[in-house]
């Protein structure tokens, strides 16, 4: 299997299939029509595919490969530092939402950096990237090795019968995968081998409490105006405060989007770096592939550059709104020029403020750490910018190096600290945590840099440290952080800091995975939490599902029921599940009601609520008691129930059950049952 998969990657993708004369499958008692298999060759996936992983995330428990039968499966081999892997995530989300009942995406996180092997760090990356599918921590590369994968990202498509059909390497395959899934749906629907049962996971984002900041990526302190600007990345907004922590403004509603307009109505998509020129704040709107401008006086947002689509070629630049960008990650203004760390194209771009164009300033677009003339040098996911006025300093994250570019036309790009110019791309894997001089020093995926008074500060992100470099000598020393993830002020601990800025002798740190801004003195002797007075999370964007709108559920009409008048309407539920399945009693069971005929015997506001059922710990039963103060009369109720059930002994990839009933009810003032008895039946998968 691994050798075959490796061959497929070499060939750039190859169909796999099964014999076309195989007998048609049966589901239940119906024989389904046999149709032509769109993939003439297939190969069985080993049952132990996921063995060797170190824990499942974004799901309620471990997943066994057999539990994926009946679903189209797309396995994404990724690592959370990788910009190409980030670019694939919107494609996966698109496919998950287009095929919510047919497709299961499984992320296999096969780490590049040592820090990425930690499940807690992966958990936070899952939330930061808004991932909605199960993820396996493949920290020892067991699954990676078993399947013969050799690059990030790699996608493997598996059919509902557990057979491997196609592989894709790199990004940009949404249309091709979409077309293949459409073929698989048609084929397996016709042959009765497609399972459209909805799934219930256990998303990590539901486990995190709301915080005023959500994974702040970058921070910008301006000593002249006494203001601090925070890219509140996962809240999709920009927060403006005084340097003392008084909230001044918030730009962005919190919703994902690219809408221009007032601060209150404008939208962003995971913004990162910022640069200030007078009363204009330039923002790298990273996942929108745009550069935005905040007019701080008029309190309005506009768009400066980008088309809103990710660049798919190595453009040299062009007109501002006609040139596609590729993950702009940080911004810096020097001498009326806006410099852009274009992480996705591994280049530095530039825009002369007031002009109508943007262009490549340095870098070929090749991902590597190569010194030399600007037009020949190579960068590796540049993510942070700083300057002393003569040079541009770059946090070259994937190369774990700090680079330097002369701002004058003459002079080569060189590396201040970390390695460069190693053969066969080895510079991309020369990382660690080592103070020292120049090429002897080691970083681990640094994302931020800041310059002040002849010293260069580095957010050594995956080492959870702040380091200091003397640009003249290249000497590197640690000033903050123990090297382990934490949130202590004494001793100073950080969690993947992503941005730095200096004002009035104070170092402001975007402590990304601690959901906070920290402040240290320039020598790193003290560390304190920067509190923002009056800041709260944006209004919740996530809507609860409407059980009445659930696809695949029909309202079973029941005979009229007579119940006794009283203080409550009680609904008793029992569950008839397939053999080998159990009710997931850790997941909520929710019930909603609505009256299809006008009635005066129950308060209408009770129908608008979602009620959580009380479980019987000893049986597959539950009940809901609604304080409706029932009076004598008649009504027809619709009852919608949502619950989760799992295979015995697994509990990872659970299924979502939905049941609806139409119940005519007569409330008698004298005689009747004490409750309405309802049974939810789940068909055999």
């Amino acid at each position: 299997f691994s050798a075959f998969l490796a061959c497929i990657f070499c060939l750039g993708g190859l169909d796999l299939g099964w014999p076309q004369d195989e007998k048609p499958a049966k589901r239940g008692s119906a024989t389904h029509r046999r149709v032509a298999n769109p993939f003439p060759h297939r190969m069985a996936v080993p049952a132990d595919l996921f063995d060797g992983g170190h824990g499942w995330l974004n799901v309620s428990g471990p997943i066994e490969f057999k539990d994926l039968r009946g679903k189209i499966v797309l396995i994404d081999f990724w690592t959370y530092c990788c910009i190409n892997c980030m670019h694939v995530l919107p494609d996966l989300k698109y496919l998950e939402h287009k095929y919510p009942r047919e497709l299961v995406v499984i992320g296999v996180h096969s780490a590049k950096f040592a820090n990425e092997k930690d499940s807690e760090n992966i958990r936070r990356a899952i939330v930061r990237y808004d991932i909605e599918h199960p993820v396996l921590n493949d920290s020892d590369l067991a699954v990676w090795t078993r399947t013969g994968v050799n690059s990030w990202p790699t996608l493997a498509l598996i059919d509902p019968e557990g057979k491997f059909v196609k592989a894709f390497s790199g990004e940009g395959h949404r249309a091709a995968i979409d077309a293949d899934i459409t073929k698989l749906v048609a084929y397996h629907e016709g042959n009765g081998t497609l399972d459209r049962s909805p799934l219930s996971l256990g998303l990590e984002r539901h486990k995190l409490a709301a915080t005023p900041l959500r994974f702040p990526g970058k921070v910008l302190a301006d000593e002249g105006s006494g203001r601090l600007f925070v890219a509140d990345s996962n809240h999709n907004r920009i927060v403006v405060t005084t340097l003392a922590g008084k909230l001044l403004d918030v730009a962005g509603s919190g919703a994902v989007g690219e809408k221009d307009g007032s601060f209150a109505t404008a939208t962003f998509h995971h913004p990162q770096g910022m640069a200030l020129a007078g009363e204009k704040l330039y923002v790298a709107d990273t996942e929108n592939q745009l550069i935005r401008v905040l007019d701080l006086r008029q309190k309005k947002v506009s768009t400066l550059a980008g088309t809103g689509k990710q660049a798919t070629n190595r453009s040299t630049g062009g007109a501002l709104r006609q040139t596609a960008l590729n993950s702009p990650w940080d911004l810096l203004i020097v001498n009326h020029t806006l410099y852009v760390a274009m992480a996705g194209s591994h280049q530095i771009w530039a825009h002369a403020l007031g002009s109508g164009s943007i262009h490549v300033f340095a870098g070929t677009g090749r991902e590597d750490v190569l010194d030399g003339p600007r037009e020949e040098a190579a960068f590796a996911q540049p993510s942070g910018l700083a300057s002393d006025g003569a040079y541009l300093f770059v946090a070259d994250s994937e190369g774990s190096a700090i680079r330097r570019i002369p701002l004058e036309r003459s002079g080569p790009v060189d590396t201040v600290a970390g390695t460069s110019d190693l053969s066969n791309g080895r510079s991309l894997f020369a990382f660690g945590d080592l103070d020292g001089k120049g090429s002897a020093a080691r970083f681990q995926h640094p994302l931020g840099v800041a310059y002040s008074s002849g010293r260069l500060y580095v957010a050594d992100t995956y080492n959870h440290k702040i380091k200091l470099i003397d640009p003249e000598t290249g000497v590197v020393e640690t000033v903050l952080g123990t090297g382990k993830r934490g949130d202590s002020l004494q001793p100073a601990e950080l969690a993947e800091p992503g941005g730095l800025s200096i004002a009035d002798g104070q170092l402001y740190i975007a402590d990304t995975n601690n959901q906070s801004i920290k402040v240290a003195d320039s020598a790193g002797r003290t560390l304190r939490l920067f509190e923002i007075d009056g800041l709260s999370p944006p209004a919740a964007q996530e809507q609860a599902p409407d059980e009445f709108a659930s696809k695949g559920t029909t309202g079973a009409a029941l005979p009229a029921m007579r119940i006794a008048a009283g203080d409550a309407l009680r609904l008793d539920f029992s569950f008839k599940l397939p053999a080998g399945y159990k009710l997931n009693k850790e997941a909520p069971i929710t019930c909603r009601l609505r009256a299809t005929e006008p009635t005066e015997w129950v308060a209408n506001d009770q129908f608008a609520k979602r009620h959580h059922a009380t479980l019987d710990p000893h049986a597959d039963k539950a009940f809901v008691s609604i304080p409706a103060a029932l009076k004598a009369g008649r009504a027809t109720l619709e009852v919608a129930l949502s619950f989760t059930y799992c295979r015995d002994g697994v509990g990872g990839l659970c299924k979502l059950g939905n049941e609806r009933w139409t119940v005519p009810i007569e409330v008698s003032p004298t005689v009747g049952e004490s409750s309405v008895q309802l049974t939810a039946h789940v068909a055999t998968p």
Side-chain angles (χ1 to χ4, degrees):
F1 178 69
S2 62
F4 201 90
L5 182 55
C7 177
I8 290 168
F9 296 147
C10 294
L11 295 174
L14 179 68
D15 293 351
L16 302 172
W18 63 343
Q20 292 195 21
D21 59 353
E22 195 165 322
K23 293 181 179 180
K26 293 183 178 181
R27 181 171 291 279
S29 59
T31 300
H32 293 258
R33 179 176 56 87
R34 184 170 67 179
V35 296
N37 193 311
F39 301 97
H41 306 284
R42 300 185 305 168
M43 194 169 198
V45 176
D48 64 350
L49 178 65
F50 298 136
D51 286 4
H54 287 265
W56 285 90
L57 301 161
N58 233 26
V59 68
S60 58
I63 294 174
E64 295 182 8
F65 188 69
K66 65 181 180 180
D67 292 300
L68 299 172
R69 292 297 289 267
K71 298 290 186 183
I72 298 164
V73 179
L74 185 62
I75 299 179
D76 173 30
F77 290 90
W78 68 299
T79 186
Y80 74 79
C81 68
C82 166
I83 194 69
N84 308 93
C85 299
M86 297 180 207
H87 290 161
V88 166
L89 293 175
D91 295 341
L92 299 179
K93 188 178 293 291
Y94 169 84
L95 295 169
E96 288 172 296
H97 288 192
K98 183 174 181 179
Y99 304 98
R101 291 172 174 260
E102 298 87 1
L103 175 68
V104 177
V105 176
I106 301 290
V108 175
H109 188 273
S110 305
K112 170 186 173 180
F113 290 101
N115 182 68
E116 294 178 302
K117 296 182 178 183
D118 186 288
S119 288
E120 183 58 33
N121 294 336
I122 300 171
R123 185 191 319 280
R124 298 183 192 203
I126 287 169
V127 178
R128 194 163 70 242
Y129 298 159
D130 195 25
I131 293 173
E132 299 178 319
H133 53 256
V135 173
L136 175 65
N137 181 1
D138 185 30
S139 58
D140 292 336
L141 302 183
V143 184
W144 170 283
T145 302
R146 184 178 299 115
T147 52
V149 175
N150 56 22
S151 64
W152 300 280
T154 292
L155 300 167
L157 188 61
I158 298 171
D159 74 10
E161 293 191 309
K163 302 297 177 64
F164 181 74
V165 296
K166 187 175 280 192
F168 305 84
S169 183
E171 58 180 281
H173 301 293
R174 177 193 290 191
I177 297 173
D178 191 0
D180 287 340
I181 292 174
T182 298
K183 295 174 185 176
L184 286 169
V185 169
Y187 175 78
H188 289 279
E189 183 176 47
N191 284 270
T193 47
L194 183 67
D195 179 5
R196 279 198 166 98
S197 301
L199 300 178
S200 176
L201 300 175
L203 301 185
E204 302 298 333
R205 68 179 182 225
H206 295 156
K207 304 172 186 177
L208 291 183
T211 51
L213 297 174
R214 190 77 151 185
F215 297 104
K218 297 290 184 181
V219 64
L220 174 63
D222 180 52
E223 187 173 329
S225 66
R227 290 177 296 192
L228 184 75
F229 305 91
V230 180
D232 191 7
S233 302
N234 272 56
H235 281 152
N236 304 297
R237 62 184 185 176
I238 304 299
V239 175
V240 186
T241 79
T242 68
L243 292 179
K246 179 183 177 181
L247 182 64
L248 298 176
D249 274 311
V250 174
S253 68
V256 169
E258 54 184 272
K259 180 181 178 182
D260 290 338
S262 70
F263 279 10
T265 61
T267 53
F268 299 86
H269 195 349
H270 290 74
Q272 289 285 342
M274 300 160 290
L276 183 66
E279 289 301 304
K280 288 187 176 180
L281 182 73
Y282 296 83
V283 177
D285 196 2
T286 304
E287 294 196 27
N288 273 330
Q289 315 294 340
L290 298 172
I291 297 174
R292 315 289 291 281
V293 184
L294 276 61
D295 186 321
L296 299 172
R297 284 201 181 97
Q298 299 295 322
K299 300 185 188 301
K300 291 185 177 180
V301 178
S302 59
T303 299
L304 174 72
T307 64
K309 303 293 183 182
Q310 180 195 341
T312 56
N313 55 26
R314 291 185 179 178
S315 167
T316 58
L320 286 172
R321 294 306 310 276
Q322 298 174 22
T323 301
L325 309 181
N326 198 335
S327 293
W329 206 275
D330 201 12
L331 304 177
L332 184 71
I333 295 174
V334 184
N335 297 330
H336 304 291
T337 297
L338 177 69
Y339 293 95
V340 183
M342 204 73 74
S345 63
H346 313 292
Q347 295 170 317
I348 307 301
W349 285 48
H351 159 66
L353 294 177
S355 73
S357 63
I358 189 169
H359 61 274
V360 174
F361 177 70
T364 63
R366 172 183 174 181
E367 185 179 15
D368 208 336
V369 188
L370 300 177
D371 293 339
R374 279 202 298 266
E375 62 275 11
E376 298 176 11
F379 298 85
Q381 205 171 309
S383 302
L385 297 174
S387 179
D388 62 355
Y391 292 92
L392 194 66
F393 298 102
V394 181
D396 216 10
S397 62
E398 278 295 281
S400 297
I402 305 302
R403 317 292 297 286
R404 178 169 53 192
I405 311 171
L407 290 174
E408 297 298 325
R409 299 302 298 177
S410 60
V413 174
D414 68 349
T415 300
V416 179
T419 61
S420 61
D421 298 302
L422 299 181
S423 61
N424 301 320
R426 288 185 296 128
S427 294
L428 299 178
F429 294 87
F431 58 85
D433 182 7
L434 185 65
D435 292 349
K437 184 176 180 179
S439 61
R442 291 291 182 271
F443 306 91
Q444 190 178 182
H445 199 74
L447 289 177
V449 284
Y451 180 86
S452 179
S453 304
R455 296 182 293 183
L456 187 65
Y457 295 84
V458 178
D460 192 2
T461 306
Y462 286 3
N463 283 326
H464 314 290
K465 286 184 174 183
I466 306 300
K467 293 183 178 178
L468 182 64
I469 303 177
D470 182 338
E472 294 297 322
T473 65
V475 172
V476 178
E477 61 176 313
T478 297
V479 293
L480 278 172
T482 64
K484 295 183 179 181
R485 180 190 68 247
D487 199 18
S488 167
L489 298 178
Q490 185 61 41
E493 293 179 329
L494 303 167
E496 294 194 11
L500 299 176
S501 190
I502 298 175
D504 197 23
Q506 299 292 295
L507 179 65
Y508 294 83
I509 305 166
D511 196 6
T512 305
N513 277 7
N514 279 328
Q515 329 287 342
S516 64
I517 306 300
K518 302 286 177 53
V519 186
D521 66 286
S522 57
R525 291 184 295 264
T526 63
L527 182 69
R528 63 180 173 88
L529 176 67
F530 183 82
E531 298 189 53
I532 302 175
D533 185 28
L535 183 66
S536 58
Q541 303 295 324
E542 200 165 354
Q543 299 295 319
D546 182 358
E547 290 87 348
F548 288 107
S550 298
K551 297 179 181 179
T553 60
T554 58
L558 300 181
M561 296 186 180
R562 176 177 291 183
I563 61 175
D567 293 332
L569 171 63
R570 179 177 168 118
L571 306 175
D572 279 288
F573 302 102
S574 59
F575 300 86
K576 300 297 183 183
L577 303 177
Y581 283 83
K582 62 182 179 181
L583 194 65
N584 184 344
K585 296 184 179 180
E586 295 181 359
I589 297 176
T590 60
C591 170
R592 286 186 63 194
L593 298 91
R594 65 185 179 189
T596 59
E597 294 179 6
T599 179
E600 298 179 355
W601 54 261
V602 64
N604 288 332
D605 62 352
Q606 293 293 335
F607 291 150
K609 298 178 181 178
R610 178 171 283 101
H611 302 276
H612 287 271
T614 300
L615 293 167
D616 182 338
H618 305 294
D620 286 339
K621 293 183 178 181
F623 73 89
V624 168
S625 184
I626 302 169
L630 297 181
K631 300 177 182 178
R634 297 174 182 269
T636 299
L637 295 183
E638 278 191 292
V639 180
L641 187 70
S642 179
F643 55 94
T644 302
Y645 61 101
C646 314
R647 188 184 296 275
D648 281 330
V650 180
L653 199 65
C654 299
K655 297 185 178 182
L656 185 65
N658 294 291
E659 189 83 14
R660 284 174 55 186
W661 300 269
T662 299
V663 189
I665 292 179
E666 178 182 344
V667 179
S668 169
T670 57
V671 64
E673 299 296 328
S674 59
S675 69
V676 177
Q677 304 289 319
L678 301 170
T679 301
H681 293 271
V682 179
T684 301

